[in-house]
Amino acid sequence: MVPVVVAATEFVVVTIAHVAVEPPDLRGKTVAVLGLTFKPETDDMRDSPAIPIVSRLAEDGAIVRVNDPEGMDAARPLLPSRVQWCANGLDAAAGADALVLVTEWAEYRALSPAALAGAMRGRVLVDLRNVWDPTAMRHAGFAREQGLGGRAVVEQKDATGVRQARLLQRDGRAAHDAAHLIVGIVVGD
């Protein structure tokens, strides 16, 4: 049984459900991760959910392209060596099958849905901070926009149907579990 994350608020990721799944295979998938620091306007990596998320994506075979306006130097020793370091958000999104927004930097808020869609190969968007308007993202072609922060709840299907919930839990394992959910979204589970 693997914990499935179904909500995230602020820097807290939530674990509430268990679903039996096979380990996903992300070989050949490119995932852009925007924001590595635990909050915008800092290079502080303390308690950053990006560390386990990026590590899990890379562990499961994804090509992970990352960007953070301030935290790349601080993040470099904490992340797998095969991570690709990108100059900006659009550079990270170039050719990506999926994009995960971890930290709500102003420059990421300013990215237009059309520019992201034009840069990416796929149309999977995981917005952990509810930065982008879901309607605008759908109009840009993001059919599987997933909000995990604040206002939204992710639907994770299992053999019994759809489980939805909100529950806050602060623990280091939770961000790793968020990475598992993100992997499921990327591979289409």
Side-chain angles (χ1 to χ4, degrees):
M1 300 297 265
V2 179
V4 176
V5 177
V6 295
T9 301
E10 292 296 317
F11 309 107
V12 179
V13 183
V14 182
T15 306
I16 65 163
H18 294 278
V19 179
V21 295
E22 291 297 315
D25 183 2
L26 291 180
R27 286 180 292 208
K29 300 279 187 180
T30 299
V31 181
V33 177
L34 302 186
L36 301 173
T37 56
F38 85 98
K39 68 179 184 176
E41 311 304 324
T42 183
D43 67 353
D44 193 343
M45 294 298 298
R46 172 186 35 163
D47 297 325
S48 171
I51 297 167
I53 289 170
V54 170
S55 296
R56 175 64 189 265
L57 291 168
E59 176 184 312
D60 288 338
I63 298 163
V64 185
R65 298 173 51 81
V66 301
N67 176 262
D68 188 282
E70 298 289 331
M72 300 230 293
D73 288 338
R76 208 173 292 269
L78 304 173
L79 296 176
S81 61
R82 54 185 284 234
V83 165
Q84 296 178 8
W85 302 88
C86 301
N88 57 52
L90 278 180
D91 182 31
D97 296 294
L99 183 142
V100 181
L101 177 76
V102 178
T103 312
E104 65 276 21
W105 286 89
E107 73 181 57
Y108 302 148
R109 288 179 187 274
L111 291 171
S112 77
L116 284 172
M120 292 176 63
R121 176 176 47 218
R123 294 294 177 266
V124 175
L125 178 72
V126 182
D127 182 350
L128 292 174
R129 301 295 180 218
N130 286 326
V131 165
W132 294 304
D133 175 46
T135 303
M137 289 309 208
R138 279 190 290 279
H139 281 116
F142 290 97
R144 297 198 59 217
E145 188 273 338
Q146 299 282 337
L148 298 179
R151 302 179 304 269
V153 175
V154 166
E155 297 178 358
Q156 182 68 33
K157 294 183 181 183
D158 67 8
T160 64
V162 176
R163 296 182 183 185
Q164 295 183 336
R166 285 194 159 169
L167 177 67
L168 298 182
Q169 172 183 326
R170 186 170 186 86
D171 93 29
R173 175 114 177 108
H176 186 272
D177 296 335
H180 179 80
L181 176 63
I182 291 164
V183 167
I185 292 168
V186 171
V187 296
D189 289 348

